[in-house]
Amino acid sequence: MGLGIALTSCGGGSGDARPQTLPSKASSAAPASTSADPDAAEKAAVLAAYSAMSREQMAAYRTASAKDTELERYATAEALGQIRNDLARMQEAGTVVRGELAHEAEVTALDMDAQTPTATLSDCVDLARYETYDSKARKVIPLPTEQPLRYVMTASAQRWDGRWMVTGLDTRGGQTC
């Protein structure tokens, strides 16, 4: 099985819903970064969709099955196909995933003016607590020696009917992070 894993954590809301009032002297010392990015709410929504898809993906990898997951809610046919291919390889090999992945995802590009809004994400994936487990032999399969424990992977997303969907995953991890 390849390391076709794409899990992240993310979050955040936007400060765009603040009332239009003048700040007091006490609040003027607060950082203005939450409202400085006019796309902050959309970026947060992209990251939330990616994080949800990643949680569902990890749930599927823990059992080598997409049964009882909501992957289709967060991933389109292309991204879902990649995950299903991984699951098929896992079932054939008798492997599952144990442990956790750490993630640092960010939206690196956002095009809200496109006919279908698009986003690109960069995720620093950390495999330090990730394991592939051979359930037949009942042992952990070590990562390949050339596999960096931290690497950058990318994902793409599109906004469909008002919600963000992960459309593609590039898990090749061309660089370390």
Side-chain angles (χ1 to χ4, degrees):
M1 172 185 93
L3 291 176
I5 306 293
L7 300 175
T8 66
S9 65
C10 64
S14 75
D16 295 337
R18 286 190 262 172
Q20 297 293 325
T21 59
L22 294 175
S24 68
K25 288 188 185 259
S27 66
S28 65
S33 62
T34 57
S35 63
D37 184 354
D39 294 321
E42 288 298 333
K43 288 177 180 178
V46 170
L47 289 170
Y50 180 70
S51 180
M53 188 273 321
S54 297
R55 280 191 306 273
E56 295 300 313
Q57 181 183 23
M58 184 57 117
Y61 285 1
R62 290 186 189 288
T63 62
S65 171
K67 184 179 179 188
D68 298 326
T69 68
E70 295 185 353
L71 280 166
E72 292 177 357
R73 183 175 176 192
Y74 304 107
T76 64
E78 182 180 337
L80 194 55
Q82 290 174 263
I83 294 167
R84 286 183 174 150
N85 286 340
D86 281 347
L87 293 172
R89 284 190 297 272
M90 292 171 71
Q91 289 170 359
E92 185 177 315
T95 59
V96 295
V97 167
R98 298 192 321 184
E100 295 295 330
L101 293 172
H103 311 276
E104 296 174 29
E106 66 177 324
V107 176
T108 56
L110 183 69
D111 184 356
M112 294 302 296
D113 295 326
Q115 183 175 1
T116 301
T118 61
T120 302
L121 298 96
S122 176
D123 183 12
C124 179
V125 178
D126 186 337
L127 300 171
R129 297 185 319 167
Y130 168 91
E131 295 179 334
T132 299
Y133 184 75
D134 184 330
S135 52
K136 293 175 186 173
R138 296 186 178 163
K139 66 177 184 175
V140 174
I141 300 170
L143 291 171
T145 55
E146 68 277 0
Q147 173 66 50
L149 287 181
R150 291 174 53 91
Y151 68 95
V152 177
M153 64 158 287
T154 58
S156 56
Q158 291 182 339
R159 190 168 184 226
W160 295 5
D161 297 325
R163 67 186 180 117
W164 287 95
M165 302 280 291
V166 177
T167 56
L169 303 168
D170 184 353
T171 60
R172 290 174 289 179
Q175 61 186 7
T176 59
C177 53

